[in-house]
Amino acid sequence: MKVAYVFATAGQTIDYVLGDMILPQLEADVHGADVVGMFFFHDNTYALREGDPLGERLADVAADQEILLMLCDQCATRRGLAEFEHTDEHGRDHYEPTNTVEGTTVGCFPDLYAALGEAGGVDHVITL
């Protein structure tokens, strides 16, 4: 089963649910589902800051298991984790990650859908 996680809830979600539950299972290869992507909103974007211990661990797992790590473009820009890159032919702005762990991408829902589709789709999207 292929799943994607959307981290939208502020508070302990990142440290507790991702850091203490999901990530250790991924590191031990016992999570029970094929995680193909993770999308981060609001202050959850800080988890992927360069040098953040949780983010660095997550980047390693994501590289090994080909997991998409995407920050909400507006959330990341407001927190200094992305910069404007260009406007495409459809009038959509695109951003590049800055000061983030290796492999981080930045986008909006259309970018997330396209990337998850390229990963072969998902069976379940779990919002935490």
Side-chain angles (χ1 to χ4, degrees):
M1 165 182 28
K2 292 184 179 183
V3 300
Y5 289 107
V6 175
F7 293 98
T9 306
Q12 296 182 357
T13 300
I14 289 297
D15 292 330
Y16 178 61
V17 177
L18 178 58
D20 293 342
M21 298 162 94
I22 296 170
L23 187 53
Q25 292 172 356
L26 291 171
E27 290 169 327
D29 200 23
V30 296
H31 188 59
D34 182 14
V35 179
V36 296
M38 296 184 182
F39 193 59
F40 297 80
F41 279 103
H42 310 299
D43 285 347
N44 294 327
T45 58
Y46 287 129
L48 297 183
R49 283 181 293 194
E50 186 175 50
D52 184 277
L54 175 63
E56 296 292 343
R57 286 174 53 209
L58 188 54
D60 290 341
V61 167
D64 290 342
Q65 298 180 22
E66 298 181 16
I67 298 172
L68 168 74
L69 299 177
M70 185 178 286
L71 302 177
C72 160
D73 56 8
Q74 296 302 308
C75 300
T77 301
R78 291 178 184 183
R79 289 161 179 80
L81 299 173
E83 294 178 349
F84 174 78
E85 182 186 53
H86 72 279
T87 302
D88 68 20
E89 65 275 7
H90 304 291
R92 286 191 55 240
D93 291 340
H94 294 267
Y95 300 83
E96 284 294 315
T98 58
N99 306 312
T100 60
V101 297
E102 189 72 29
T104 300
T105 61
V106 176
C108 197
F109 281 108
D111 304 304
L112 177 64
Y113 303 148
L116 292 175
E118 291 173 10
V122 297
D123 299 305
H124 299 284
V125 175
I126 302 166
T127 303
L128 300 167

